[in-house]
Amino acid sequence: MQLLNPKAVLLAAAAFDAASAHTTFTNFFVDKAPMGDGTCVRMSHDIPKATWPIRPVTSQDMACGVNGDKGVARICPANSGSELTFNFRDWPDGSQPGSLDKSHMGPCSVYMKKVENSAADNNAAGPGWFKIFEEDYDNSSGQWCTSKIMANDGKLSVKVPTDLAGGYYLVRPELLALHQADKTPADPQFYVGCAQIFLQSSGTSVPKDTVSIPGHVNMQAPAMTFGVWNTPKQISFPQFGPSTYKSGSSKRNIKARTDQLKQTLGLKPANCIMENDNWCGMTLPSYSDEKGCWASSQKCWDQSTTCYDSAGPVGSKGCKNWESYCDSVKNACSSGNFNGPPSAQSFMPTPPSRLVSSGSSFAASPDTGSQNYASPKAEAQTAPTTATSSEGDNSAKDGSVDTCGSNAGGLKCATDRPPDLLFWTSPQPLTPYSTQPSPEPVYATAFHPSFFLQNAASTLYGISLCALPVRLYSLYSPSVLASYPLVSPTTEEYIAPHSLLFSSYNQHTFFTGSLNLISVFDINRNGEGPVERMRTIPSKRSTVVGGAGGIKGIVSALGMSSEGILAAGTFNRWVGLYDGHGRGGSVGVFELGEDSSSEKTAYGGTGITQVLWSDDGRNLCVAERCSDGISVWDIRGSGKRLAWLKGRNAKTNQRLGIEVVGREIWAGGADGMVRCWEGLGIKEGVVEPSWDFKAHDDAVSSTTWHFSGSVLATCSGQRRFHDEANLDDIEKRSTNAVSLPSHSPDNSLKVWAF
């Protein structure tokens, strides 16, 4: 490992000094999706003083803070009516909790300014600012706006007016702390910062009543000397600054509608593989010899130096991850491995979670019109005669690809998400990026954990096929890269696994689940069977299940926790837990069949189709076929069922997938609806859906969120039979499938913007 970058030491040393002051705007969310610490945010370069208030009110720093006249490289996209959530921290790097001292009572406001380029320098101070939100003392709750922010973990949420013209904007949250305002001399403390956004909007409004900052307030205003400590409280808080913008109270500029419909500035580079605030680590050059290896290693360390040099008050966490990646490149060169570069996937930080709640205590917007929170941006149709997906929609870990599978014909399509997706004004057709037919029905698919679209060597995925070995493919190659037979020792027939999972701990191995069996394969052993077979019961004839008896039946679902616990679910409604990243012994089993008769009638359930862990590894979510609920189990605590997520509407033999996103669970239903339950691991008992929307005209087989948090892919379609009761027999051979002409199928993949 190379010597520690001196900037890293300075950043760590400055953290305490910065935190010992007051607060600063560090990061923001667009429609609950995190933009990343410091990303698209103008912040002070003076780290020890980053949280200090702005003085005096005539300073140019009143516009966007200290160094606020300098633009940053990235510009974040937002839509008309988007909810913007600004996060204030006492410790800018988030290393300690807290947002603001409770003594810092006062009002808050949010301003916007339309500019030619949000990332340009010297466009903050001066005219053009208009206010979209303000709140001071709330008599009903007895709280100042800043007190609400403290109670909301430092977050302030507002909505962008819906009629504003599209284009580039600066957005400026402003907190005013009045705890020293009544002293001599008066010391009202302003805390401000600016976010750089591109607003995608079909509106035409350009506000005519704007103000200059500095200049929107002066020390003679009564608000600047208001006594927050007076008891009883003084007269109502006097307004300062301009009036809040109201939709329609502006001049109209028809040209604004066609000026800037598409963002071209401040975009994330296509070959950016790791980030730290506004810095991007770029894909390293490929190499196949020693000279190229060391040249690529040097480029990696050069980028590491740039990362630390550019790191601001939010810290250098991303730089440290990049440094670890550079170590892996250097170690490969030292050991004589001159084929690379290696994948950076395992060094990626955990993506920040979407907001579960984003400050509903605040007045949201001067607009009162209702907004659609989901709008379709793209759609891919499969052939009408082909049913989609028993496994449904899958998404690569790098967020770049969606896939739709098919029980009857292999992997039907893989779709690359267009980089300008969010700025399409109407739904557009998606075309296949890759098509992979198969000779037999697909039972299960899985992406390799290092999958990264810009690195062709990493774009691997596995497919389990009926009556054939498990196959390994690349997105860029139609031919089979490798195959792995799983053969019955008694009949010598191929066993078709019903579940497939790549190990995130050892990326050379993958697991399969079949009848009473979990098998472990080494992807480097092409043409060979499993390196380990783990029977889930002592013998095939065993009648004892549970406890030492294990779990009996087809292992239909596999899931690995962040702590290395492998969960295996069966069609017999049993769950087994195995430690050692799935290679250790059994640490527990439990059955889902403990429902009361009323619960069984209400929720059903005839076999596990998916097991998913919460991010912290504490809770296990279990989905079943023919069920109207999802069960949530407290594995690390009580070991019992914690909650029933009601209203899933999945009473079908088809596999309908679920997804865990932070503290949310998303799932599609047989009625074409997509539903979300909030409070995973927090809410107990029967939990109703938090919200839903109509996505398809057929069963939604899966939902997948892009890691940015603002794009959702949904997949729909189903196979239809005259006799649904015989589905298990029919699944053995797809040729028995008969579509029902009475229903017009919706076999499609859709991508939604939120």
Side-chain angles (χ1 to χ4, degrees):
M1 183 175 179
Q2 295 201 349
L3 293 175
L4 183 65
N5 189 299
K7 181 66 180 291
V9 179
L10 293 176
L11 288 169
F16 177 79
D17 290 335
S20 64
H22 306 277
T23 192
T24 190
F25 165 44
T26 58
N27 61 301
F28 72 110
F29 301 73
V30 178
D31 295 322
K32 297 187 179 182
M35 298 296 101
D37 278 7
T39 304
C40 306
V41 177
R42 300 187 179 191
M43 301 185 70
S44 172
H45 299 168
D46 189 350
I47 298 176
K49 299 179 181 179
T51 60
W52 288 19
I54 304 300
R55 300 185 181 97
V57 296
T58 56
S59 167
Q60 298 289 295
D61 297 338
M62 280 291 289
C64 287
V66 176
N67 302 122
D69 59 331
K70 301 293 185 183
V72 295
R74 296 284 299 281
I75 299 173
C76 292
N79 293 314
S80 171
S82 281
E83 180 184 65
L84 304 181
T85 301
F86 308 98
N87 195 20
F88 285 83
R89 292 174 180 164
D90 186 13
W91 292 71
D93 62 353
S95 58
Q96 298 290 335
S99 57
L100 196 65
D101 189 87
K102 63 181 181 180
S103 67
H104 287 39
M105 297 176 287
C108 44
S109 307
V110 177
Y111 290 76
M112 293 181 69
K113 179 179 181 178
K114 197 172 191 305
V115 293
E116 291 295 321
N117 175 5
S118 305
D121 295 342
N122 304 314
N123 60 1
W129 292 97
F130 57 97
K131 186 190 294 183
I132 64 168
F133 169 87
E134 67 176 345
E135 182 173 315
D136 43 64
Y137 186 79
D138 184 351
N139 286 292
S140 61
S141 65
Q143 288 183 305
W144 286 93
C145 181
T146 54
S147 302
K148 291 185 180 181
I149 291 176
M150 297 175 214
N152 197 39
D153 195 27
K155 296 177 177 66
L156 167 67
S157 296
V158 302
K159 283 193 175 181
V160 177
T162 57
D163 65 343
L164 289 180
Y168 297 94
Y169 285 84
L170 298 177
V171 189
R172 174 187 178 271
E174 173 190 280
L175 307 186
L176 172 56
L178 296 169
H179 57 295
Q180 298 285 337
D182 59 350
K183 302 298 187 288
T184 303
D187 183 24
Q189 297 181 5
F190 283 89
Y191 300 92
V192 303
C194 284
Q196 300 177 173
I197 71 166
F198 177 84
L199 182 64
Q200 178 63 43
S201 173
S202 59
T204 61
S205 295
V206 179
K208 60 183 179 181
D209 298 323
T210 63
V211 296
S212 179
I213 301 179
H216 72 307
V217 65
N218 59 68
M219 288 301 296
Q220 285 68 49
M224 297 300 99
T225 56
F226 188 85
V228 293
W229 303 107
N230 292 348
T231 305
K233 190 171 71 71
Q234 276 181 279
I235 58 171
S236 298
F237 183 74
Q239 182 184 11
F240 70 98
S243 300
T244 303
Y245 169 75
K246 302 294 184 183
S247 293
S249 60
S250 63
K251 62 183 179 183
R252 296 284 173 171
N253 184 355
I254 301 302
K255 185 175 182 293
R257 190 161 190 161
T258 56
D259 263 350
Q260 296 167 316
L261 291 180
K262 183 177 179 180
Q263 181 178 355
T264 58
L265 303 171
L267 295 167
K268 178 181 176 179
N271 58 343
C272 173
I273 58 175
M274 202 176 296
E275 299 174 78
N276 191 76
D277 54 60
N278 296 282
W279 170 89
C280 267
M282 303 299 183
T283 305
L284 298 179
S286 298
Y287 52 84
S288 57
D289 56 27
E290 183 175 5
K291 181 179 179 181
C293 187
W294 287 111
S296 192
S297 175
Q298 185 58 51
K299 287 185 178 294
C300 192
W301 289 110
D302 289 344
Q303 292 191 63
S304 176
T305 300
T306 303
C307 182
Y308 279 115
D309 288 346
S310 64
V314 295
S316 55
K317 295 184 286 290
C319 304
K320 294 173 184 176
N321 291 327
W322 183 262
E323 189 175 34
S324 298
Y325 175 52
C326 294
D327 269 332
S328 74
V329 178
K330 185 191 73 171
N331 293 338
C333 298
S334 299
S335 63
N337 182 0
F338 303 135
N339 291 301
S343 170
Q345 187 67 37
S346 60
F347 301 96
M348 297 288 193
T350 302
S353 300
R354 298 175 73 250
L355 289 180
V356 174
S357 174
S358 55
S360 57
S361 61
F362 294 97
S365 169
D367 292 313
T368 57
S370 62
Q371 293 294 313
N372 293 324
Y373 52 81
S375 60
K377 290 292 184 180
E379 181 173 353
Q381 292 285 344
T382 63
T385 57
T386 304
T388 10
S389 194
S390 65
E391 287 300 310
D393 164 78
N394 274 312
S395 184
K397 295 298 183 185
D398 73 336
S400 59
V401 174
D402 292 313
T403 68
C404 351
S406 170
N407 251 337
L411 194 69
K412 299 305 295 183
C413 66
T415 309
D416 183 21
R417 293 193 180 104
D420 59 348
L421 174 72
L422 290 177
F423 308 113
W424 291 354
T425 56
S426 61
Q428 302 292 317
L430 291 174
T431 56
Y433 190 89
S434 173
T435 300
Q436 182 59 65
S438 78
E440 291 289 341
V442 176
Y443 277 22
T445 63
F447 279 104
H448 192 270
S450 67
F451 191 107
F452 185 63
L453 192 60
Q454 278 71 43
N455 184 356
S458 71
T459 58
L460 304 177
Y461 58 91
I463 298 180
S464 169
L465 302 168
C466 176
L468 285 174
V470 175
R471 291 182 169 184
L472 184 70
Y473 289 96
S474 168
L475 193 67
Y476 290 94
S477 174
S479 59
V480 179
L481 297 182
S483 62
Y484 311 92
L486 182 60
V487 179
S488 168
T490 55
T491 66
E492 296 187 350
E493 293 180 340
Y494 285 121
I495 299 174
H498 281 68
S499 53
L500 181 63
L501 176 72
F502 280 100
S503 171
S504 56
Y505 174 71
N506 182 349
Q507 298 186 7
H508 294 293
T509 62
F510 65 88
F511 300 86
T512 65
S514 51
L515 180 62
N516 303 328
L517 181 67
I518 298 174
S519 303
V520 185
F521 291 83
D522 186 335
I523 64 173
N524 294 318
R525 299 187 178 186
N526 181 18
E528 298 184 19
V531 296
E532 185 177 355
R533 291 176 183 245
M534 302 185 297
R535 301 205 64 83
T536 60
I537 55 172
S539 70
K540 183 180 288 188
R541 297 180 180 178
S542 176
T543 58
V544 178
V545 293
I551 57 174
K552 188 173 184 178
I554 294 175
V555 178
S556 51
L558 295 168
M560 189 78 73
S561 78
S562 57
E563 299 180 334
I565 302 296
L566 177 68
T570 73
F571 282 144
N572 289 11
R573 307 188 76 213
W574 281 88
V575 175
L577 304 174
Y578 305 86
D579 63 5
H581 297 276
R583 306 292 294 273
S586 172
V587 293
V589 299
F590 60 91
E591 185 183 12
L592 303 191
E594 299 177 354
D595 313 324
S596 65
S597 58
S598 60
E599 287 178 335
K600 182 68 176 176
T601 301
Y603 304 120
T606 61
I608 296 172
T609 56
Q610 196 172 358
V611 288
L612 282 181
W613 291 90
S614 60
D615 293 342
D616 58 9
R618 182 182 182 91
N619 303 114
L620 183 68
C621 305
V622 182
E624 295 189 79
R625 59 187 182 183
C626 297
S627 173
D628 192 44
I630 300 169
S631 57
V632 180
W633 296 77
D634 183 3
I635 300 299
R636 210 165 63 188
S638 67
K640 297 181 179 180
R641 191 179 68 193
L642 180 70
W644 258 112
L645 309 185
K646 181 182 179 182
R648 183 185 174 209
N649 198 337
K651 292 190 173 181
T652 171
N653 279 308
Q654 181 181 358
R655 291 180 183 236
L656 300 186
I658 65 173
E659 184 182 27
V660 173
V661 183
R663 291 292 182 184
E664 301 173 350
I665 299 180
W666 288 76
D671 55 356
M673 300 291 290
V674 171
R675 297 176 174 86
C676 170
W677 294 262
E678 297 179 328
L680 172 60
I682 300 173
K683 296 182 179 180
E684 300 182 16
V686 177
V687 181
E688 298 281 351
S690 301
W691 46 298
D692 57 28
F693 72 96
K694 181 74 172 178
H696 294 269
D697 294 324
D698 216 328
V700 178
S701 51
S702 190
T703 64
T704 297
W705 274 100
H706 188 269
F707 62 76
S708 68
S710 59
V711 177
L712 175 72
T714 60
C715 188
S716 71
Q718 59 182 316
R719 300 170 64 198
R720 296 178 173 275
F721 309 98
H722 288 305
D723 187 1
E724 279 281 322
N726 293 328
L727 181 61
D728 286 342
D729 295 330
I730 293 171
E731 280 186 336
K732 296 178 181 178
R733 301 299 300 176
S734 66
T735 53
N736 295 334
V738 180
S739 61
L740 297 180
S742 60
H743 183 276
S744 178
D746 174 9
N747 300 320
S748 62
L749 168 72
K750 293 182 179 180
V751 181
W752 304 79
F754 276 69

